[in-house]
Amino acid sequence: MQDDGMIYKLASEQPAEKIAELQDLINGKLDGNKASASINVVYANYNLQPLNIIIAYAVALVAIFVYMLIMNKLASAVAVVCSSILAVLMAIALVALTRIPAAPYVQFMPILAGILSAVLSVITVGGYKEQLKGAEKYSVKDIAEKVAVADKKKYVFALIITLVSAVAVAAFMTPYMLILGGQIAIVGLVAVAVAYYFTPLLWTAIKKSK
C-alpha cells in the first residue's frame, strides 16, 4: 500500500478478497480528502532458498576435495576444504561485526568468499607439489614460506581486483549497491587472508604430523 510516497508491507500473503476489502476501507477513510492510495500485490521469489545454496556449496567442496586428493595429496585436500569453510564463517562474522546489512545477498556472499578462498588455496598448494619434488633440500615449513613469497603478487592482485570492484559498485550510491560493494570488499579481504595465511599453516601442520 502506498500513500504519499510511503510503502507499507503486509506481514503475510493475503487472499484477493482481503486485498479488495482493504482497498475499499482505505478509499472510505480517504473519501473527501485530497489524498489517494492504491494497493499493489508483489510476490517474493523463493526459488533460491539458502538450503539449496548450502547444498550446492557442499557438492562443490566434495568435488574440490576429490580433485585435490587425486592431483595432490590428503594434506592439500584437507587444507583447501578447511580454508574454504573458514572463509565462509569469517565472512559471516565480519558482516556481523561491521554491521553491513546482510540482505539481499546474504545467501551468496559467504559462499563466494569460500569459493574464492578455495580457488586461491588450490593455486597455493599446487606450488607445494612442485616444491616437494626437491623436498630433500627444504623442510615443509621452508616450502610453505617459499611458495607464499612466490604467490604474494597473485594475492595482492586478487585483493586489488575485488576492492576496485567493490568501490565501482558502491559508486552508484544506491542502498543496494552500497551494501553489495561492502560485501564484495569483505569477500575479497576474507578469501585472500584465509588462503594466504591459514592454508599454509594448516598444510604445514598436517605434513609435520605424519
Side-chain angles (χ1 to χ4, degrees):
M1 180 179 69
Q2 184 168 343
D3 180 15
D4 194 23
M6 299 299 292
I7 299 176
Y8 304 89
K9 186 173 73 172
L10 300 176
S12 60
E13 185 177 336
Q14 302 294 322
E17 295 80 6
K18 290 289 185 181
I19 298 294
E21 289 178 12
L22 182 59
Q23 181 71 74
D24 293 338
L25 177 62
I26 294 171
N27 291 337
K29 294 292 185 180
L30 296 176
D31 189 28
N33 297 322
K34 293 182 179 180
S36 63
S38 63
I39 298 177
N40 295 313
V41 179
V42 178
Y43 296 98
N45 187 348
Y46 296 106
N47 289 333
L48 288 177
Q49 295 286 353
L51 180 59
N52 295 339
I53 298 174
I54 293 173
I55 292 174
Y57 173 63
V59 172
L61 280 186
V62 171
I64 292 171
F65 181 83
V66 172
Y67 171 79
M68 294 304 300
L69 197 59
I70 295 173
M71 299 302 297
N72 297 79
K73 290 186 178 181
L74 181 61
S76 298
V78 172
V80 170
V81 171
C82 289
S83 296
S84 180
I85 295 173
L86 178 62
V88 171
L89 298 177
M90 284 187 63
I92 295 172
L94 197 55
V95 166
L97 290 174
T98 57
R99 300 294 183 90
I100 294 177
Y105 312 107
V106 63
Q107 302 99 325
F108 302 100
M109 184 273 298
I111 302 303
L112 287 177
I115 294 298
L116 180 57
S117 176
V119 171
L120 293 173
S121 297
V122 167
I123 295 173
T124 297
V125 298
Y128 300 157
K129 182 179 180 180
E130 295 298 322
Q131 292 296 325
L132 282 171
K133 294 177 180 178
E136 299 81 13
K137 295 182 292 183
Y138 301 106
S139 67
V140 171
K141 183 179 178 181
D142 290 337
I143 290 174
E145 291 177 351
K146 186 175 181 180
V147 173
V149 172
D151 286 348
K152 183 175 293 185
K153 291 182 179 179
K154 298 176 184 177
Y155 281 94
V156 171
F157 179 75
L159 182 59
I160 290 174
I161 290 296
T162 53
L163 293 180
V164 169
S165 301
V167 172
V169 170
F172 287 96
M173 298 303 291
T174 63
Y176 276 1
M177 292 297 102
L178 288 172
I179 293 172
L180 181 58
Q183 292 184 352
I184 291 174
I186 287 178
V187 166
L189 288 170
V190 168
V192 169
V194 171
Y196 187 76
Y197 293 105
F198 180 75
T199 301
L201 287 175
L202 183 57
W203 181 85
T204 301
I206 295 173
K207 295 296 286 187
K208 284 184 175 181
S209 66
K210 291 184 177 181

